[in-house]
Amino acid sequence: MAEFAGVSVSDISASASGQQHFVAAACFDPGQLRLRLPDSVEIRFDLKTAQVLRLSAVALLFVTGESKSGNEDKNSFSRALKFEFGTENESRDFCSAVEKCRHGSLENGTVIVHKSKFDDKIEPTSAKMYFHYYGQLLHQQNMLQDYVRTGTYYAAVVENRIDFNGRVVVDVGAGSGILSLFAAQAGAKHVYAVEASEMAEYARKLIDGNPSLRERITVVKGKVEEIDLPEKADILISEPMGTLLVNERMLESYVIARDRFLASNGKMFPSIGRIHMAPFSDEYLYVEIANKALFWQQQNYYGVNLTSLYGSAFQGYFSQPVVDAFDPRLLVSPPTFHTLNFTNMKEEELYEIDIPLNYTATVGTRVHGLACWFDVLFDGSSVQRWLSTAPGSPTTHWYQLRCVLSQPLYVMAGQEITGRLLLVAHSAQSYTIYLTMSVKMWGPGAEQGGILQTSTGKLDLKEPYYRLSQPQPYAWAQDQQQPQQQISSLQDLSPQIQDAVDPALMQQSSPNSTAL
Ligand SMILES: C[S@@+](CC[C@H](N)C(=O)[O-])C[C@H]1O[C@@H](n2cnc3c(N)ncnc32)[C@H](O)[C@@H]1O
């Protein structure tokens, strides 16, 4: 078995009393690493649970549970050792010896599978594509060039220096390492930049290129669900938000990182997120979506009748949530919000998010669905800052999201709109959205209560329609003050557009067919 003499070892475990440096000989037995210290004390480490992280070409961080040779005490604790080797080759050989001996501990033919909570929930193909995407600089650049986003993070960190100065920070999903660098600028004692994708290598380079900060940042390549760190964090920083806040299911990793790495009373940046929602009216958007299925109305497409697929295509287009920046005047009533508190929520609470809806229409119009956006709070000790993606606020790369119903609802000013937004997580790192919206009885008979009209939709947050290249109808924004200027019904549309709409819908959407 390989033996490495004269290895310089620093014990940097939080549990060790201060930092200790010693020179040891490292030997490998099947499944174990033995360190022989100068005073003939021997320490054994179980390699099955050990993590080896490269700090530099000649330095490694070795994190593991420990059991002392000849000691019956079964108590083990996590320990972090920094190994420094004379040459790069020696460091590389040590890594291969760890790998070899890890597998040497298994019986012949045993296949070792390290499954984490992440692997249990997420399809491997989805995870592969996801981390491939974030492994590319162009996508990190896209986020860095969202100045509303990155500028708000920067301000939140530097204005709250008091929360970072002298503190241990974990950057959950560090990407390029930008938030780790901000934390180091704000005086962090040490930052662990945890990143699962190949971007970790670029983060190392970026951090290396900033000599005044690099000594205080360690890039750890791996999933927050799987890696180990040598010490607890005083503060977690992360940008885990996707479209509608929850897309990508990274909030779950943020909450898992809290449970694994954050000291009690530690802080989280951001600490809460809110999903905001309001019914909207947008005739142009509705017609645009309905029009997409028009292709399938053709009865002679190279001699083939396509119409049997028209209904499916129509429903398919309405199952795509629309991502764009819209004029807030399209909202039919003041928004409501649902809060997710990252500091105390359980990870499982993110698997199914059930939000009751209740609004009062401020205008008589057709409601085409539910508009959604989010904000997050940096609850700093000096300054509180919100990062908002609201319509009418400076646009971010998240824009806003609208769930469009294939059957719009007719409302009068003062009428109650109720419903439910149910988000159910799926293994492709996203959610199925179930939307139900109803209008309550209005006018004579209203006191008896009851639902007048209900519309439902099932949408996949993973398959949004990015409507950003389309011209926005802001010039003729449907002014809530002048609803009569809007297209008031599908019957007012051109015959071609009417053709695009499901005949059943044409019947239901006729003002005459509703009992208002
Ligand atoms: C939205 S990006 C943010 C990147 C960077 N923090 C920033 O603000 O520019 C999220 C990053 O988290 C990483 N990530 C997502 N889930 C992760 C996990 N479970 N463990 C480690 N990294 C993860 C992704 O690869 C991606 O680079």
Side-chain angles (χ1 to χ4, degrees):
M1 280 287 167
E3 177 156 346
F4 298 78
V7 183
S8 160
V9 183
S10 313
D11 187 338
I12 57 170
S13 315
S15 49
S17 46
Q19 271 208 17
Q20 293 174 345
H21 302 275
F22 45 88
V23 176
C27 328
F28 289 91
D29 292 335
Q32 285 197 329
L33 164 68
R34 266 186 301 127
L35 277 189
R36 272 204 317 272
L37 310 190
D39 48 7
S40 15
V41 173
E42 200 171 79
I43 318 175
R44 287 171 188 269
F45 297 96
D46 181 354
L47 290 176
K48 264 181 278 174
T49 53
Q51 297 263 344
V52 181
L53 314 166
R54 267 190 66 208
L55 298 176
S56 71
V58 292
L60 302 173
L61 186 66
F62 186 88
V63 187
T64 184
E66 172 198 41
S67 58
K68 279 196 176 143
S69 163
N71 190 341
E72 291 311 304
D73 181 6
K74 291 273 183 290
N75 291 335
S76 67
F77 54 88
S78 181
R79 194 157 182 188
L81 303 174
K82 185 177 171 190
F83 289 84
E84 281 169 291
F85 298 90
T87 64
E88 199 173 337
N89 275 350
E90 213 180 347
S91 158
R92 210 172 308 125
D93 291 349
F94 182 87
C95 283
S96 356
V98 168
E99 272 319 298
K100 235 192 237 160
C101 289
R102 213 200 279 283
H103 296 282
S105 67
L106 301 172
E107 279 170 29
N108 239 354
T110 312
V111 176
I112 191 162
V113 182
H114 290 289
K115 277 202 108 192
S116 69
K117 204 153 195 190
F118 185 97
D119 298 330
D120 288 341
K121 295 182 303 194
I122 305 300
E123 272 170 31
T125 44
S126 169
K128 196 172 171 202
M129 282 171 67
Y130 177 76
F131 290 119
H132 175 75
Y133 174 93
Y134 278 122
Q136 295 171 57
L137 273 177
L138 79 141
H139 297 302
Q140 298 288 337
Q141 181 180 338
N142 183 38
M143 292 183 285
L144 297 176
Q145 285 181 322
D146 177 344
Y147 298 108
V148 176
R149 178 202 89 113
T150 312
T152 306
Y153 268 89
Y154 179 73
V157 173
V158 297
E159 286 171 354
N160 289 297
R161 189 172 280 272
I162 187 170
D163 293 318
F164 289 86
N165 201 18
R167 302 291 162 86
V168 174
V169 181
V170 173
D171 181 354
V172 179
S176 62
I178 192 70
L179 303 183
S180 299
L181 288 156
F182 290 172
Q185 282 177 353
K189 182 169 105 190
H190 203 84
V191 187
Y192 296 94
V194 185
E195 171 58 42
S197 76
E198 291 306 310
M199 188 50 52
E201 303 302 334
Y202 288 107
R204 276 194 188 115
K205 270 194 183 172
L206 187 69
I207 289 160
D208 257 5
N210 287 269
S212 62
L213 305 171
R214 70 177 169 216
E215 293 307 317
R216 288 181 288 122
I217 305 176
T218 304
V219 176
V220 181
K221 187 174 176 187
K223 298 192 190 93
V224 287
E225 291 84 352
E226 293 167 12
I227 57 108
D228 287 309
L229 294 175
E231 56 189 328
K232 288 278 185 187
D234 302 302
I235 181 160
L236 296 190
I237 189 164
S238 187
E239 196 273 77
M241 299 90 75
T243 312
L244 189 61
L245 183 62
V246 293
N247 194 29
E248 301 177 30
R249 297 188 63 181
M250 196 186 154
L251 288 175
E252 291 162 45
S253 302
Y254 190 33
V255 167
I256 289 173
R258 175 200 69 196
D259 293 341
R260 300 196 64 212
F261 307 127
L262 191 62
S264 50
N265 300 325
K267 266 190 167 293
M268 291 176 84
F269 260 50
S271 56
I272 68 167
R274 302 185 301 183
I275 299 175
H276 298 258
M277 298 140 294
F280 73 93
S281 178
D282 190 341
E283 212 64 59
Y284 299 96
L285 173 63
Y286 179 79
V287 169
E288 183 186 321
I289 295 175
N291 259 348
K292 284 169 179 278
L294 198 61
F295 170 82
W296 300 96
Q297 284 277 9
Q298 296 179 80
Q299 293 176 4
N300 188 357
Y301 174 79
Y302 298 102
V304 176
N305 185 344
L306 299 182
T307 55
S308 55
L309 291 184
Y310 171 71
S312 307
F314 183 85
Q315 286 307 327
Y317 284 116
F318 280 96
S319 73
Q320 289 189 279
V322 176
V323 174
D324 69 352
F326 65 84
D327 190 314
R329 286 176 295 175
L330 298 178
L331 300 179
V332 164
S333 68
T336 54
F337 64 84
H338 178 83
T339 304
L340 300 177
N341 188 333
F342 309 138
T343 66
N344 60 17
M345 74 185 304
K346 289 201 183 87
E347 181 233 342
E348 292 78 10
E349 288 173 48
L350 288 158
Y351 296 0
E352 202 172 292
I353 302 169
D354 197 351
I355 309 174
L357 306 174
N358 200 309
Y359 304 95
T360 302
T362 54
V363 64
T365 188
R366 288 211 320 160
V367 169
H368 294 101
L370 193 72
C372 309
W373 61 94
F374 68 86
D375 54 20
V376 294
L377 173 67
F378 302 100
D379 191 13
S381 302
S382 303
V383 177
Q384 280 201 335
R385 228 173 222 283
W386 287 96
L387 169 55
S388 172
T389 66
S393 294
T395 307
T396 69
H397 75 286
W398 290 285
Y399 300 92
Q400 290 96 39
L401 180 121
R402 284 184 286 171
C403 301
V404 186
L405 292 167
S406 59
Q407 296 184 18
L409 301 163
Y410 285 83
V411 295
M412 302 300 290
Q415 197 168 9
E416 208 179 330
I417 304 169
T418 59
R420 181 183 187 200
L421 180 70
L422 176 65
L423 308 174
V424 181
H426 61 62
S427 59
Q429 289 168 285
S430 191
Y431 283 80
T432 306
I433 304 172
Y434 297 91
L435 174 64
T436 306
M437 291 177 83
S438 306
V439 285
K440 286 266 199 78
M441 204 80 91
W442 180 86
E447 59 284 357
Q448 285 136 40
I451 299 293
L452 201 59
Q453 200 191 345
T454 291
S455 185
T456 58
K458 180 181 171 190
L459 304 95
D460 187 356
L461 187 55
K462 180 96 177 178
E463 300 288 343
Y465 163 37
Y466 288 100
R467 195 176 172 239
L468 307 164
S469 54
Q470 307 291 321
Q472 302 294 302
Y474 299 156
W476 7 267
Q478 298 149 9
D479 196 325
Q480 303 297 330
Q481 303 310 310
Q482 300 167 321
Q484 69 279 12
Q485 288 179 357
Q486 296 183 26
I487 297 169
S488 59
S489 80
L490 284 177
Q491 275 68 25
D492 295 341
L493 302 172
S494 70
Q496 195 204 21
I497 291 174
Q498 286 191 22
D499 274 354
V501 180
D502 193 319
L505 175 61
M506 283 301 294
Q507 219 176 358
Q508 283 168 11
S509 67
S510 154
N512 301 332
S513 69
T514 59
L516 283 176

